[in-house]
């Protein structure tokens, strides 16, 4: 064994760790990693009951994510699937249309948009078909690969249950926390801010849930906003991990709870639409739209981001990690604006037609 090579690799690993966990990047001026140790720091030892976050705690989110994914599979198989049977949801997608070289080339040319009437007549004449047969083939080809009603219902019901429980449990946990009512408490005493056990578990479960969504990202129904959803998941996971590492957990809990406010309303509206309860769907969609605007486009930028950008640094000081933290918050805000534009288009269709479209909502 080449001991010199092994020693060199160990030294390189140590050097990398020192570079990656550089206090000048992660922490405010005059703050060290010792200040985030429960035993003490520059301000001396804290009270015996003080709990501070450790970066090693984040590893717990991985088995929790696997457990949540397993719980989801159990939910879908033993609860959601029987419920879907009661509503007579179809378990299979539409059958694949018969192979046809002419129409397959035409579909590749036009995409999912149906050609005009004259071209339909031309294809029908070439194939000795009726225009109706051409339309039926085109519709089947367009729907090919789309998930079944049962698959949509199972996925949506799981997200509805989790978001519902997550929001109300988060609200219950944060209700008696000082920083829930006044943002200034997010910065007082930083970085030696005690992390109560309920906040500790709330954070871990939220992080585990988003990790489980990444695990199932390519298994789930691929929706129109797939790209935005991928960016959202990774930005959220990054925010949760970074804020845990340097104890900006108080701001993190507010961001998570605020964003959970509207999610179950959207999933609930989808479930109502799947069950053909149009009135309930319309009501939930309107509530969802109003809450989205209030929470994500008013409270989030004008209360939380305003505090992190213009108030927090006056107390804790400026450092590179602080810029990254604000950058990720602004990324979430940008996604909220993009999604709200989509929501407004759906809302316009609702006003014009008096009902929410399943294609748009899904």
């Amino acid at each position: 064994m080449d001991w010199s090579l092994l020693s060199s690799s160990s030294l390189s690993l140590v050097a990398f760790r020192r570079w990656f966990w550089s206090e000048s990047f992660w922490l405010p001026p005059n703050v060290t990693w010792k200040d985030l140790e429960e035993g003490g720091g520059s301000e001396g030892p804290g009270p015996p009951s003080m709990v501070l976050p450790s970066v090693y705690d984040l590893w717990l989110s991985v088995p929790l994510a696997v457990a949540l994914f397993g719980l989801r599979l159990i939910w879908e198989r033993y609860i959601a699937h029987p419920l879907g049977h009661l509503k007579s949801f179809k378990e299979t997608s539409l059958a694949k249309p018969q192979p046809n070289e002419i129409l397959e080339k035409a579909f590749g040319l036009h995409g999912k948009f149906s050609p005009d009437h004259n071209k339909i007549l031309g294809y029908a004449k070439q194939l000795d078909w009726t225009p109706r047969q051409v339309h039926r083939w085109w519709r089947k080809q367009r729907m090919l690969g789309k998930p079944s009603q049962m698959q949509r219902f199972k996925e949506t019901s799981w997200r509805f249950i989790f978001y519902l429980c997550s929001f109300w449990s988060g609200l219950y946990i944060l209700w008696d926390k000082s920083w829930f009512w006044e943002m200034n408490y997010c910065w007082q005493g930083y970085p030696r801010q005690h992390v109560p056990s309920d906040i500790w578990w709330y954070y871990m479960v939220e992080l585990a849930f988003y990790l489980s969504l990444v695990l199932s990202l390519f298994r789930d129904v691929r929706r129109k906003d797939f790209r935005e959803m991928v960016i959202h998941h990774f930005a959220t996971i990054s925010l949760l991990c970074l804020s845990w590492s340097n104890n900006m957990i108080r701001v993190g809990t507010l961001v998570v709870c605020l964003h959970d406010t509207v999610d179950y309303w959207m999933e609930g509206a989808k479930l109502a639409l799947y069950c053909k309860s149009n009135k309930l769907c319309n009501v939930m969609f309107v509530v969802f739209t109003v809450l989205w605007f209030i929470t994500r486009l008013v409270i989030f930028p004008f209360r939380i981001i305003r505090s992190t950008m213009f108030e927090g640094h006056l107390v804790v000081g400026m450092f590179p990690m602080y810029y990254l933290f604000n950058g990720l918050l602004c990324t979430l805000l940008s996604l909220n604006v993009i999604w709200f534009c989509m929501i407004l288009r759906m809302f316009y269709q609702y006003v014009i037609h008096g009902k929410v479209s399943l294609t748009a909502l899904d």
Side-chain angles (χ1 to χ4, degrees):
M1 181 180 293
D2 191 341
W3 292 104
S4 61
L5 182 61
L6 184 61
S7 177
S8 176
S9 300
S10 299
L11 289 173
S12 298
L13 181 60
V14 170
F16 174 77
R17 288 184 62 184
R18 286 179 179 173
W19 170 80
F20 184 82
W21 294 109
S22 170
E23 293 172 347
S24 62
F25 175 83
W26 287 88
L27 301 173
N30 303 318
V31 175
T32 68
W33 290 116
K34 287 185 178 180
D35 294 312
L36 286 172
E37 295 176 2
E38 295 179 25
S42 59
E43 299 177 7
S49 59
M50 176 174 282
V51 175
L52 296 174
S54 167
V55 67
Y56 298 106
D57 296 338
L58 296 173
W59 287 108
L60 179 63
S61 64
V62 177
L64 277 177
V66 175
L68 276 176
F69 186 70
L71 185 62
R72 170 186 169 170
L73 295 179
I74 293 172
W75 166 270
E76 290 183 354
R77 181 171 181 176
Y78 296 105
I79 300 178
H81 195 269
L83 289 175
H85 267 303
L86 291 177
K87 300 301 295 185
S88 301
F89 290 135
K90 294 180 181 178
E91 294 195 53
T92 56
S93 302
L94 291 177
K96 185 177 181 179
Q98 66 184 76
N100 189 295
E101 187 177 350
I102 293 175
L103 291 182
E104 285 171 5
K105 286 182 178 179
F107 190 85
L109 179 64
H110 296 284
K112 295 184 179 181
F113 299 101
S114 298
D116 57 44
H117 183 65
N118 291 331
K119 288 185 178 179
I120 290 288
L121 291 176
Y123 295 138
K125 187 175 181 180
Q126 282 182 272
L127 298 166
D128 196 24
W129 283 10
T130 64
R132 184 174 182 180
Q133 286 177 304
V134 176
H135 275 297
R136 187 181 297 118
W137 186 96
W138 206 278
R139 185 172 62 254
K140 285 185 176 182
Q141 185 69 19
R142 187 170 58 227
M143 298 297 290
L144 191 63
K146 289 199 172 184
S148 64
Q149 285 181 311
M150 182 66 80
Q151 186 178 350
R152 283 195 180 100
F153 173 75
K154 290 192 295 186
E155 289 182 14
T156 302
S157 65
W158 165 253
R159 287 196 297 269
F160 172 76
I161 290 296
F162 182 86
Y163 287 135
L164 180 68
C165 296
S166 175
F167 169 69
W168 287 106
S169 61
L171 188 65
Y172 175 78
I173 289 169
L174 289 170
W175 192 261
D176 63 347
K177 304 299 186 288
S178 57
W179 66 88
F180 182 73
W181 304 101
E182 180 53 60
M183 283 292 298
N184 289 334
Y185 286 102
C186 289
W187 316 113
Q188 290 185 12
Y190 180 84
R192 292 186 60 77
Q193 295 173 335
H194 172 61
V195 182
S197 59
D198 52 358
I199 293 293
W200 198 99
W201 282 106
Y202 176 57
Y203 227 71
M204 284 297 146
V205 171
E206 285 288 343
L207 176 56
F209 175 70
Y210 283 103
L211 287 174
S212 73
L213 289 182
V214 172
L215 289 176
S216 63
L217 201 58
F218 298 96
R219 172 186 178 272
D220 291 346
V221 176
R222 186 159 181 160
R223 305 182 191 277
K224 297 176 183 178
D225 59 348
F226 177 79
R227 186 184 306 170
E228 290 84 358
M229 193 62 72
V230 171
I231 296 172
H232 172 268
H233 290 349
F234 280 100
T236 303
I237 290 170
S238 299
L239 270 171
L240 290 170
C241 290
L242 295 176
S243 58
W244 183 270
S245 299
N246 65 357
N247 203 11
M248 285 193 174
I249 294 170
R250 293 184 177 184
V251 177
T253 56
L254 297 180
V255 174
V256 169
C257 187
L258 189 70
H259 281 72
D260 283 347
T261 305
V262 300
D263 288 330
Y264 71 91
W265 287 99
M266 172 61 118
E267 304 302 335
K270 290 179 186 178
L271 290 176
L273 199 55
Y274 296 157
C275 297
K276 295 181 171 49
S277 180
N278 291 327
K279 289 184 179 180
L280 178 60
C281 173
N282 293 341
V283 170
M284 296 191 78
F285 177 70
V286 171
V287 174
F288 162 77
T289 304
V290 173
L291 282 178
W292 184 288
F293 178 76
I294 294 173
T295 57
R296 298 197 180 195
L297 298 182
V298 177
I299 298 177
F300 182 49
F302 294 107
R303 183 169 183 246
I304 295 178
I305 294 183
R306 180 182 64 83
S307 180
T308 60
M309 280 193 168
F310 303 111
E311 296 175 356
H313 71 91
L314 299 176
V315 179
V316 305
M318 295 299 293
F319 52 104
M321 172 58 201
Y322 197 77
Y323 290 107
L324 178 59
F325 187 73
N326 278 289
L328 289 170
L329 290 177
C330 290
T331 299
L332 286 184
L333 178 60
S334 300
L335 291 171
N336 290 341
V337 172
I338 292 171
W339 275 321
F340 191 65
C341 292
M342 298 179 183
I343 293 167
L344 286 180
R345 286 199 292 269
M346 289 190 287
F347 194 80
Y348 174 77
Q349 293 297 322
Y350 165 71
V351 172
I352 297 298
H353 301 290
K355 64 178 182 179
V356 181
S357 164
L358 176 60
T359 304
L361 193 61
D362 222 20

